[in-house]
Amino acid sequence: HKKCHLIHYLRLSHHLIILNYLICTFDKLKSVSSEDINITDAVFDGVEVRVFEPPAKRDERLKRSVVYIHGGGWALASARTSLYNNLCRIMAESLNAVVVSVEYRLVPEVCFPEQFHDALRATKHFLQPDVLAEYSVDPSRIAISGDSAGGNLAAAVCQQLSKDEHLTIRPKLQALIYPVLQAFDFNTPSYQQNMNMPVLPRYVMINYWIDYFNGNYDLAHSLVINNHTALDVGQALSFRGRLNWTSLLPSSFKKNYKPVIQTTGKAEIIREIPALLDVRAVPLLAENETLQLQPKTYILTCENDVLRDDGAMYAKRLEHAGVEVTLDHFDDCFHGCMIFTIWPTDFSAGVQTRNSYIKWLDENL
């Protein structure tokens, strides 16, 4: 079993191996509290979390809260790396909020749907009245949030929570940072425009999806040209209207790009990986009845990012479903920029996007 995991992991591109080596081997921080923020590690229904708590203020009864799910292609990073530790600490300080950062399990240890289940279990545990009381959290002022693959999990968890009739407490807001939301079309204008963009080129995003689904890398070329959602793939037909970027995107995003729709494709890909059409993995494909149940939403997108259009299309679909949405687009920013605010990767794009995100939470939570 361990040998299989090792072989699978070695198949990851050099890009992923080097990145994970840098951010996870050397950079796990212990839960060191400061005068301003109390940081503790806990377990919520079997899932590890890191909790950031500001000190109680005089006459203050209950605090706001954010459940945060980190990015990294479902395979990289950690709630304990300095990048996410720093982000969550700053959020807790700036918002005077309890921040719960979810340490879900990663590829190759587990694949879909386990990352989703971990995020859902931890969030549902936190939303219990007695747990919220333990952390002095106001049950009516909770947001769920995440970046990149964490934005994917946050959106999927939020959809699941909205359909759970037994829940008495649900998030007031969702805030998604350059989220990855679909694996239906790898030729949206932003995928075409940014296919070779550093940090997240298209082939790397496709590899993340294949690893998340425990699929075969031999499928990568078929996915790149949308063979898995060709017009003769019956399973995909009913979803096509939910992801028609020609009607969902503004002309400033569409530019002169043309849709890539194959007439004949490979239906066996969906049979082999049915999760490609599973809304728990691809929340952009959810039905309108589910979207109508979503809370007030913030979506941050960057121009230099293959995932720009995922976020923009989700914003438009939520808007059509009657949800109040803020689409916060940054023309000069790139995928992943928001966590790069610490030397030696302290980019102005990181500070700019982080400040905008925190400002929206502060005004709406």
Side-chain angles (χ1 to χ4, degrees):
H1 185 66
K2 283 185 177 176
K3 187 179 178 185
C4 287
H5 268 179
L6 179 63
I7 291 168
H8 180 87
Y9 196 62
L10 289 174
R11 284 180 359 188
L12 289 170
S13 71
H14 289 278
H15 175 99
L16 303 189
I17 292 172
I18 292 167
L19 192 57
N20 204 31
Y21 185 71
L22 288 172
I23 63 182
C24 284
T25 307
F26 295 112
D27 199 29
K28 290 260 177 110
L29 295 182
K30 290 179 180 169
S31 54
V32 180
S33 299
S34 65
E35 283 181 24
D36 302 320
I37 300 293
N38 183 41
I39 304 174
T40 54
D41 290 330
V43 177
F44 285 2
D45 192 15
V47 181
E48 294 180 15
V49 297
R50 175 160 285 191
V51 184
F52 300 75
E53 296 175 88
K57 293 183 178 175
R58 188 183 297 176
D59 300 331
E60 178 189 57
R61 292 186 179 175
L62 297 174
K63 285 185 162 54
R64 310 185 277 191
S65 184
V66 180
V67 175
Y68 195 84
I69 308 172
H70 73 79
W74 309 282
L76 306 175
S78 161
R80 299 184 181 122
T81 56
S82 63
L83 296 173
Y84 285 108
N85 207 75
N86 183 59
L87 173 63
C88 291
R89 183 181 53 76
I90 288 172
M91 286 167 62
E93 284 176 357
S94 304
L95 299 168
N96 188 36
V98 175
V99 177
V100 175
S101 188
V102 182
E103 183 75 337
Y104 58 94
R105 291 169 296 165
L106 302 172
V107 169
E109 181 192 350
V110 296
C111 298
F112 177 80
E114 296 311 315
Q115 286 86 340
F116 166 78
H117 286 318
D118 283 0
L120 180 63
R121 283 207 318 275
T123 305
K124 284 181 77 170
H125 177 87
F126 183 61
L127 292 176
Q128 294 177 108
D130 57 330
V131 178
L132 294 177
E134 181 188 336
Y135 288 100
S136 300
V137 166
D138 184 338
S140 67
R141 302 180 76 189
I142 300 165
I144 184 164
S145 184
D147 64 293
S148 194
N152 167 283
L153 294 169
V157 166
C158 201
Q159 288 184 7
Q160 193 68 27
L161 295 174
S162 72
K163 295 185 285 188
D164 189 333
E165 295 173 359
H166 303 295
L167 275 185
T168 55
I169 299 166
R170 292 189 178 87
K172 178 186 181 184
L173 310 170
Q174 65 175 336
L176 313 176
I177 313 302
Y178 31 74
V180 49
L181 298 169
Q182 59 90 24
F184 192 95
D185 184 356
F186 291 109
N187 290 276
T188 61
S190 61
Y191 264 113
Q192 294 187 53
Q193 173 183 297
N194 300 299
M195 66 173 69
N196 297 312
M197 187 64 65
V199 180
L200 191 65
R202 179 167 63 177
Y203 82 93
V204 170
M205 190 61 244
I206 288 174
N207 281 351
Y208 276 140
W209 275 117
I210 290 171
D211 284 320
Y212 188 35
F213 294 146
N214 198 23
N216 191 318
Y217 283 124
D218 293 344
L219 299 176
H221 177 68
S222 287
L223 295 176
V224 165
I225 59 174
N226 290 344
N227 262 348
H228 59 304
T229 53
L231 294 176
D232 67 337
V233 178
Q235 306 98 305
L237 275 178
S238 61
F239 293 98
R240 185 166 293 284
R242 300 177 192 176
L243 200 136
N244 178 7
W245 61 255
T246 62
S247 63
L248 291 171
L249 294 178
S251 55
S252 59
F253 282 14
K254 289 188 285 191
K255 301 184 175 74
N256 293 316
Y257 293 105
K258 300 288 185 284
V260 175
I261 303 171
Q262 305 296 347
T263 308
T264 57
K266 294 185 175 179
E268 62 269 23
I269 297 175
I270 299 294
R271 285 197 295 270
E272 189 179 327
I273 311 180
L276 283 162
L277 300 177
D278 188 325
V279 294
R280 297 172 302 167
V282 287
L284 181 53
L285 297 189
E287 58 190 5
N288 287 331
E289 289 76 8
T290 299
L291 298 188
Q292 288 167 3
L293 301 173
Q294 299 317 293
K296 192 175 190 178
T297 298
Y298 170 91
I299 299 176
L300 186 150
T301 56
C302 296
E303 183 65 22
N304 305 305
D305 182 5
V306 292
L307 302 179
R308 179 199 67 189
D309 296 345
D310 284 28
M313 287 190 286
Y314 197 44
K316 186 54 71 175
R317 286 202 65 211
L318 286 169
E319 206 174 83
H320 287 165
V323 177
E324 191 177 336
V325 182
T326 298
L327 179 62
D328 199 7
H329 180 66
F330 289 83
D331 271 325
D332 55 351
C333 294
F334 57 92
H335 187 81
C337 64
M338 201 175 81
I339 57 172
F340 294 116
T341 58
I342 314 172
W343 188 90
T345 56
D346 48 341
F347 301 133
S348 61
V351 176
Q352 187 187 353
T353 50
R354 186 187 69 196
N355 288 351
S356 190
Y357 161 67
I358 290 176
K359 182 173 184 284
W360 185 87
L361 283 174
D362 192 33
E363 291 171 355
N364 291 279
L365 186 54

PDB file of all heavy atoms in Angstrom, residues 249-263:
ATOM      1  N   LEU A 249     -20.107  35.118 -19.162  1.00  0.00           N
ATOM      2  CA  LEU A 249     -18.942  35.993 -18.959  1.00  0.00           C
ATOM      3  C   LEU A 249     -19.130  37.351 -19.626  1.00  0.00           C
ATOM      4  O   LEU A 249     -19.759  37.446 -20.684  1.00  0.00           O
ATOM      5  CB  LEU A 249     -17.680  35.336 -19.526  1.00  0.00           C
ATOM      6  CG  LEU A 249     -17.180  34.057 -18.851  1.00  0.00           C
ATOM      7  CD1 LEU A 249     -15.945  33.526 -19.584  1.00  0.00           C
ATOM      8  CD2 LEU A 249     -16.853  34.300 -17.376  1.00  0.00           C
ATOM      9  N   PRO A 250     -18.547  38.406 -19.049  1.00  0.00           N
ATOM     10  CA  PRO A 250     -18.588  39.720 -19.707  1.00  0.00           C
ATOM     11  C   PRO A 250     -17.678  39.723 -20.936  1.00  0.00           C
ATOM     12  O   PRO A 250     -16.739  38.919 -21.036  1.00  0.00           O
ATOM     13  CB  PRO A 250     -18.050  40.667 -18.622  1.00  0.00           C
ATOM     14  CG  PRO A 250     -17.183  39.812 -17.760  1.00  0.00           C
ATOM     15  CD  PRO A 250     -17.815  38.448 -17.764  1.00  0.00           C
ATOM     16  N   SER A 251     -17.925  40.618 -21.852  1.00  0.00           N
ATOM     17  CA  SER A 251     -17.125  40.654 -23.084  1.00  0.00           C
ATOM     18  C   SER A 251     -15.657  40.956 -22.801  1.00  0.00           C
ATOM     19  O   SER A 251     -14.771  40.508 -23.539  1.00  0.00           O
ATOM     20  CB  SER A 251     -17.698  41.703 -24.052  1.00  0.00           C
ATOM     21  OG  SER A 251     -17.771  42.964 -23.416  1.00  0.00           O
ATOM     22  N   SER A 252     -15.387  41.669 -21.701  1.00  0.00           N
ATOM     23  CA  SER A 252     -13.987  41.963 -21.349  1.00  0.00           C
ATOM     24  C   SER A 252     -13.219  40.701 -20.978  1.00  0.00           C
ATOM     25  O   SER A 252     -11.985  40.671 -21.046  1.00  0.00           O
ATOM     26  CB  SER A 252     -13.933  42.951 -20.183  1.00  0.00           C
ATOM     27  OG  SER A 252     -14.610  42.418 -19.048  1.00  0.00           O
ATOM     28  N   PHE A 253     -13.938  39.643 -20.587  1.00  0.00           N
ATOM     29  CA  PHE A 253     -13.305  38.348 -20.290  1.00  0.00           C
ATOM     30  C   PHE A 253     -13.291  37.456 -21.532  1.00  0.00           C
ATOM     31  O   PHE A 253     -12.331  36.735 -21.779  1.00  0.00           O
ATOM     32  CB  PHE A 253     -14.058  37.629 -19.166  1.00  0.00           C
ATOM     33  CG  PHE A 253     -13.768  38.149 -17.778  1.00  0.00           C
ATOM     34  CD1 PHE A 253     -13.119  39.353 -17.581  1.00  0.00           C
ATOM     35  CD2 PHE A 253     -14.166  37.420 -16.664  1.00  0.00           C
ATOM     36  CE1 PHE A 253     -12.864  39.833 -16.299  1.00  0.00           C
ATOM     37  CE2 PHE A 253     -13.915  37.888 -15.379  1.00  0.00           C
ATOM     38  CZ  PHE A 253     -13.259  39.093 -15.192  1.00  0.00           C
ATOM     39  N   LYS A 254     -14.370  37.499 -22.310  1.00  0.00           N
ATOM     40  CA  LYS A 254     -14.475  36.616 -23.484  1.00  0.00           C
ATOM     41  C   LYS A 254     -13.474  36.988 -24.568  1.00  0.00           C
ATOM     42  O   LYS A 254     -12.963  36.108 -25.271  1.00  0.00           O
ATOM     43  CB  LYS A 254     -15.897  36.680 -24.063  1.00  0.00           C
ATOM     44  CG  LYS A 254     -16.935  36.005 -23.198  1.00  0.00           C
ATOM     45  CD  LYS A 254     -18.296  35.921 -23.873  1.00  0.00           C
ATOM     46  CE  LYS A 254     -19.019  37.243 -23.888  1.00  0.00           C
ATOM     47  NZ  LYS A 254     -20.435  37.101 -24.301  1.00  0.00           N
ATOM     48  N   LYS A 255     -13.225  38.302 -24.716  1.00  0.00           N
ATOM     49  CA  LYS A 255     -12.322  38.801 -25.756  1.00  0.00           C
ATOM     50  C   LYS A 255     -12.697  38.153 -27.088  1.00  0.00           C
ATOM     51  O   LYS A 255     -13.860  38.129 -27.466  1.00  0.00           O
ATOM     52  CB  LYS A 255     -10.861  38.562 -25.362  1.00  0.00           C
ATOM     53  CG  LYS A 255     -10.494  39.250 -24.032  1.00  0.00           C
ATOM     54  CD  LYS A 255      -9.035  39.089 -23.690  1.00  0.00           C
ATOM     55  CE  LYS A 255      -8.665  39.891 -22.437  1.00  0.00           C
ATOM     56  NZ  LYS A 255      -9.164  39.295 -21.192  1.00  0.00           N
ATOM     57  N   ASN A 256     -11.711  37.597 -27.809  1.00  0.00           N
ATOM     58  CA  ASN A 256     -12.020  36.955 -29.094  1.00  0.00           C
ATOM     59  C   ASN A 256     -11.887  35.432 -29.037  1.00  0.00           C
ATOM     60  O   ASN A 256     -11.762  34.779 -30.071  1.00  0.00           O
ATOM     61  CB  ASN A 256     -11.091  37.505 -30.193  1.00  0.00           C
ATOM     62  CG  ASN A 256     -11.372  38.965 -30.481  1.00  0.00           C
ATOM     63  OD1 ASN A 256     -12.526  39.371 -30.578  1.00  0.00           O
ATOM     64  ND2 ASN A 256     -10.315  39.763 -30.590  1.00  0.00           N
ATOM     65  N   TYR A 257     -11.921  34.876 -27.839  1.00  0.00           N
ATOM     66  CA  TYR A 257     -11.758  33.426 -27.701  1.00  0.00           C
ATOM     67  C   TYR A 257     -13.009  32.689 -28.157  1.00  0.00           C
ATOM     68  O   TYR A 257     -14.130  33.188 -28.030  1.00  0.00           O
ATOM     69  CB  TYR A 257     -11.425  33.056 -26.254  1.00  0.00           C
ATOM     70  CG  TYR A 257     -10.060  33.557 -25.834  1.00  0.00           C
ATOM     71  CD1 TYR A 257      -9.928  34.656 -24.991  1.00  0.00           C
ATOM     72  CD2 TYR A 257      -8.903  32.945 -26.315  1.00  0.00           C
ATOM     73  CE1 TYR A 257      -8.668  35.126 -24.624  1.00  0.00           C
ATOM     74  CE2 TYR A 257      -7.650  33.412 -25.956  1.00  0.00           C
ATOM     75  CZ  TYR A 257      -7.538  34.503 -25.114  1.00  0.00           C
ATOM     76  OH  TYR A 257      -6.291  34.967 -24.762  1.00  0.00           O
ATOM     77  N   LYS A 258     -12.800  31.504 -28.710  1.00  0.00           N
ATOM     78  CA  LYS A 258     -13.899  30.681 -29.216  1.00  0.00           C
ATOM     79  C   LYS A 258     -14.065  29.430 -28.353  1.00  0.00           C
ATOM     80  O   LYS A 258     -13.069  28.867 -27.878  1.00  0.00           O
ATOM     81  CB  LYS A 258     -13.601  30.246 -30.665  1.00  0.00           C
ATOM     82  CG  LYS A 258     -13.435  31.418 -31.639  1.00  0.00           C
ATOM     83  CD  LYS A 258     -14.769  32.093 -31.931  1.00  0.00           C
ATOM     84  CE  LYS A 258     -14.627  33.182 -32.987  1.00  0.00           C
ATOM     85  NZ  LYS A 258     -14.014  34.405 -32.464  1.00  0.00           N
ATOM     86  N   PRO A 259     -15.308  28.983 -28.167  1.00  0.00           N
ATOM     87  CA  PRO A 259     -15.530  27.755 -27.407  1.00  0.00           C
ATOM     88  C   PRO A 259     -14.875  26.543 -28.087  1.00  0.00           C
ATOM     89  O   PRO A 259     -14.796  26.492 -29.318  1.00  0.00           O
ATOM     90  CB  PRO A 259     -17.053  27.604 -27.397  1.00  0.00           C
ATOM     91  CG  PRO A 259     -17.585  28.960 -27.712  1.00  0.00           C
ATOM     92  CD  PRO A 259     -16.556  29.603 -28.603  1.00  0.00           C
ATOM     93  N   VAL A 260     -14.410  25.603 -27.276  1.00  0.00           N
ATOM     94  CA  VAL A 260     -13.866  24.338 -27.794  1.00  0.00           C
ATOM     95  C   VAL A 260     -14.864  23.244 -27.412  1.00  0.00           C
ATOM     96  O   VAL A 260     -14.928  22.816 -26.260  1.00  0.00           O
ATOM     97  CB  VAL A 260     -12.467  24.040 -27.212  1.00  0.00           C
ATOM     98  CG1 VAL A 260     -11.981  22.664 -27.658  1.00  0.00           C
ATOM     99  CG2 VAL A 260     -11.475  25.134 -27.613  1.00  0.00           C
ATOM    100  N   ILE A 261     -15.673  22.850 -28.379  1.00  0.00           N
ATOM    101  CA  ILE A 261     -16.700  21.826 -28.147  1.00  0.00           C
ATOM    102  C   ILE A 261     -16.505  20.724 -29.177  1.00  0.00           C
ATOM    103  O   ILE A 261     -16.647  20.960 -30.387  1.00  0.00           O
ATOM    104  CB  ILE A 261     -18.122  22.414 -28.269  1.00  0.00           C
ATOM    105  CG1 ILE A 261     -18.307  23.579 -27.278  1.00  0.00           C
ATOM    106  CG2 ILE A 261     -19.170  21.336 -28.017  1.00  0.00           C
ATOM    107  CD1 ILE A 261     -19.600  24.349 -27.468  1.00  0.00           C
ATOM    108  N   GLN A 262     -16.161  19.538 -28.714  1.00  0.00           N
ATOM    109  CA  GLN A 262     -15.954  18.401 -29.621  1.00  0.00           C
ATOM    110  C   GLN A 262     -17.303  17.774 -29.989  1.00  0.00           C
ATOM    111  O   GLN A 262     -18.191  17.660 -29.139  1.00  0.00           O
ATOM    112  CB  GLN A 262     -15.057  17.340 -28.956  1.00  0.00           C
ATOM    113  CG  GLN A 262     -13.721  17.857 -28.448  1.00  0.00           C
ATOM    114  CD  GLN A 262     -12.824  18.363 -29.565  1.00  0.00           C
ATOM    115  OE1 GLN A 262     -13.067  18.122 -30.743  1.00  0.00           O
ATOM    116  NE2 GLN A 262     -11.767  19.088 -29.193  1.00  0.00           N
ATOM    117  N   THR A 263     -17.432  17.376 -31.246  1.00  0.00           N
ATOM    118  CA  THR A 263     -18.660  16.689 -31.677  1.00  0.00           C
ATOM    119  C   THR A 263     -18.668  15.256 -31.168  1.00  0.00           C
ATOM    120  O   THR A 263     -19.672  14.762 -30.648  1.00  0.00           O
ATOM    121  CB  THR A 263     -18.759  16.696 -33.219  1.00  0.00           C
ATOM    122  OG1 THR A 263     -18.606  18.041 -33.674  1.00  0.00           O
ATOM    123  CG2 THR A 263     -20.110  16.152 -33.663  1.00  0.00           C
TER     124      THR A 263
END
